[in-house]
Amino acid sequence: MEEVTLSPQSKTLTSEDDNNGDQPMPDLPDRDPSSSDSDSDSGSEDGDQAQKNLQLQTLEAELSTNPGNYDAHVQYIKILRQIADIEKLRQAREAMNELFPLTPSMWQDWAKDEASLSTGSDAFPAIEKLYERGVFEYLSISLWRDYLDFVQENDPSVRECSPAGILKARDLFERALTAAGLHVSEGSKLWEAYRKFEQAIFDATDETDNQARDKQIQRIRTIFHRQLSVPHVNMRSTLLDYKAWEVEQGNILNAGSSDLDGISSHVASAYKKALEMYNARVHLEEQICRQDMSDSEKLQHFMNYLKFEQSSGDPARVQMLYERAITEFPISSYLWLDYTHYLDKTLKVGSIITNVYSRAVKNCPCVGELWVRYLLSLERGHASEKEIAAVFEKSLQCILTLDEFLDLYLTRIDGLRRRISCPVEGESVLDYSLIRETFQNASEYFSQYLKNTDGLLRLHAYWARLELNLRKDLQAARGVWESLLKICGSMLEAWQGYITMEADLGHVSEARSLYRRCYSKRFPGTGSEDICYSWLRFEREFGSLDDFDRAVQKVTPRLEELQLFRSQQESKLTEEGENSSKKNVRDKRKQVSEIPDEHYPAKRQKDASQKPKKAHGKDSDVLNPGEQTVEKIKPKGDKPDIQNEQRMKERVPEKTKAYADQCTAFVSNINLKANDEHLRQFFSDVGGVVAIRLLHDKFSGKSRGLAYVDFSDDAHLVAAVAKNKQMLLGKKLSIARSDPKHGKKEHARGSESRESAETSNGPRAHQALQSSHNRGSDNVQLRGRNTFAIPRNVLALGQTANKPKTEEQGEEKPKSNDEFRNMFLKG
């Protein structure tokens, strides 16, 4: 099997062998007073220095007011390096690293600057610590190589090849291989550096010490075998180097051949497997190393690569690839969340997970979920209370949403509760005051932002439960509920939670007193009715008959008051809906009337039909006052004029039809969190939902717990009403057929009653109606919606346009409005 090589353009996006582009920090100048520099050069240097000082002052002012400005930190450090202000430079780097992780190139610059300024063995530990901090934050082959070279060159014990020094160097190389040895494109650099180190030890070994030399040869051979079993670029080159090295040791191999002849079977098998793994990944490596793509495309290629590695089932390779992705996209919260989720799922506990979380929250401090999972990770790893408390306090200083802050507080309290109720052996028992203090801090903070919300209710309910069950302090639990009622006294759920606690404890009198305190309060939606019915149920289940009667006596007037208020509100809303609909109809008629008549053939036919006709013509229509029907206009020909019919439909008021075929349900007692989609899903089994109108308060904009639901026909409406008293989001809905005529004015009701009486009693009722008008004076004023004339295109009841008239019927001339009024008053 041949090795597939990466294409020439498949180099990493940012080569880690290069620094961030800054020039090395210049040495402090040694100026000779007798030097003959020109005045122009001196003036130029002074001008540059003044400009840099001005930039430094501007950046210092910016960082003092906005320390989170990342770019300002970078520019500030860059200018300080240029002017070689050592003390300020150290302070600036430390200040930036307190808030942000530094890039690998920044750590390299820092270590090199300190190494160039410091001499002697005293400076070595400080610089070594800098390298340790750098390799912890991001994966960087270049930084690891600098670290290894620095230790070999500056550590006296390593440089002298003492046993302790050699052991220290080997441990450092093994750490580097663990961190980056599986890096496909650059990991081979660390393997080669390790081999060179061991080869240098072999060369320095006394030639007469055969045992030590043989042992060292075996170490080098083992490193070769380990490297050949790992997929990486230039595997064939590594194989050739190995064969050449074996020839130097006296083994007979064909060093120029690329085959595996002469190599042990287990090494050859491992090499073939590694080569297969590399060939399966080479196209993925090319995709993430391309330069001609956007960041989003590159991140997607990383995610595809990660899915491939996860399917292979090697956690070490998956973690390596995550580290490579994090180095490329350090502030991608999605990537950090995915990385930590994978570690939680595969490793569960360990310092590796907590280290990753500590880096995650430093790169993405404004992601509350990372902080929550960090706290849980510390608890799983049995971290000390001091360490967990420090992380929690640090998380509170970040910019998070209220929900994220609440989740943080609850997670912290969860951990304290677990460690108090179920202490781990060997850990000190915590005091309950920690929980109470955390609750108090949370309550003080959220009371000003989460008033009358489920989040604040959840916090206090949890607090009261722990005071009662964990602390065994009933008075403290009652105090928690009372403090909540001071903040959320208009929240029904707060009263219900308090009452439930007392009822569960068997404190009937205390629960009854709470009902007496809250039954007359006004709650959103149908909460006022709910608390009254809840009191009655409570007395039925816990109280005596006298208690029940007293409760009925209390709540009955309240329920009547609420019912009257609901009826008035519904009537008002119905009238508003009618007025709005009428306005829309008027606007529509106005738009139609503005169109010239010649655009409507049907209108021309109607105008023509209103001209005087022959007295006994076959096509004449008899107009009878009191009955209405829309004239049917049929064009010539066999086919109907669809356009004319559509125009006539548009000109008929739609509201009249809507009221004639009313299929609307009125729904009340709706959970205030419910929206249109919840109601649509609730009626999905019924079907036929046309529209949903959820009512909101005109001042606060909050839901009122009321809604109108329109259905396509009466059958669906009947099925919807049958779902009355069913639950939606924990509340029992009240569903009834909506009556749009309910709440009309009294004179409209009187008009309807007179019409019904006239219809049922015949002429006698008609005569009584006329006499009631005649008993007045001649100056009778008619009020109400009285119609004295009807359109001339209306037929008598029971007649059709095609039915011929008899000669006895004749044709009556339509009367004008004035004639009709006089006939009605004098009749």
Side-chain angles (χ1 to χ4, degrees), residues 551-780:
V552 171
Q553 187 178 3
K554 290 280 189 182
V555 303
T556 300
R558 176 61 174 163
L559 289 173
E560 291 175 354
E561 177 187 353
L562 293 171
Q563 186 176 4
L564 177 61
F565 176 75
R566 300 292 181 196
S567 299
Q568 293 174 349
Q569 291 295 107
E570 184 178 351
S571 300
K572 182 178 179 182
L573 293 172
T574 303
E575 283 191 22
E576 291 176 356
E578 291 178 2
N579 295 334
S580 176
S581 178
K582 289 178 181 178
K583 182 180 179 181
N584 293 336
V585 171
R586 287 197 301 270
D587 293 343
K588 189 171 185 179
R589 285 177 175 173
K590 183 178 180 181
Q591 294 175 2
V592 173
S593 64
E594 292 175 355
I595 302 176
D597 292 346
E598 55 268 19
H599 291 280
Y600 289 98
K603 183 174 181 66
R604 292 199 302 272
Q605 294 180 21
K606 177 180 176 181
D607 295 339
S609 66
Q610 294 178 355
K611 294 180 180 180
K613 300 180 181 179
K614 294 181 181 181
H616 301 285
K618 292 184 180 180
D619 298 331
S620 63
D621 293 337
V622 177
L623 301 179
N624 185 13
E627 281 131 35
Q628 300 180 6
T629 179
V630 179
E631 179 183 10
K632 298 179 181 179
I633 302 176
K634 292 186 179 181
K636 297 179 180 181
D638 297 335
K639 296 183 179 180
D641 191 344
I642 300 177
Q643 293 182 354
N644 289 342
E645 292 182 4
Q646 181 65 25
R647 289 172 181 148
M648 291 300 296
K649 290 180 181 178
E650 292 177 355
R651 297 174 64 186
V652 176
E654 297 180 357
K655 192 65 179 179
T656 303
K657 182 179 179 182
Y659 283 149
D661 300 328
Q662 185 69 28
C663 297
T664 302
F666 178 70
V667 187
S668 59
N669 197 31
I670 303 173
N671 191 307
L672 300 183
K673 294 183 178 180
N675 53 30
D676 293 0
E677 188 61 29
H678 289 119
L679 290 174
R680 193 175 300 277
Q681 293 178 1
F682 177 79
F683 290 112
S684 61
D685 56 339
V686 173
V689 176
V690 176
I692 296 175
R693 303 186 298 281
L694 193 62
L695 307 184
H696 297 81
D697 189 274
K698 63 181 180 180
F699 298 108
S700 64
K702 296 182 179 179
S703 172
R704 300 179 57 187
L706 305 172
Y708 288 99
V709 183
D710 297 334
F711 293 89
S712 58
D713 52 45
D714 192 68
H716 289 95
L717 175 60
V718 172
V721 174
K723 298 192 67 175
N724 185 33
K725 302 302 181 183
Q726 294 190 18
M727 303 293 290
L728 174 63
L729 299 181
K731 300 201 72 173
K732 189 180 296 184
L733 298 185
S734 177
I735 309 172
R737 181 189 292 269
S738 177
D739 185 5
K741 297 180 181 180
H742 179 72
K744 285 190 175 183
K745 298 180 180 179
E746 290 297 326
H747 70 265
R749 294 195 183 98
S751 176
E752 292 174 2
S753 64
R754 288 195 298 271
E755 290 176 4
S756 62
E758 188 175 355
T759 304
S760 60
N761 298 330
R764 183 177 302 173
H766 182 66
Q767 292 173 4
L769 181 61
Q770 287 182 344
S771 62
S772 66
H773 286 286
N774 294 333
R775 280 195 295 267
S777 63
D778 294 337
N779 298 325
V780 176

Side-chain angles (χ1 to χ4, degrees), residues 11-27:
K11 294 183 179 180
T12 57
L13 183 64
T14 56
S15 177
E16 293 184 333
D17 290 330
D18 298 331
N19 57 18
N20 60 1
D22 294 339
Q23 296 296 326
M25 186 178 66
D27 296 332

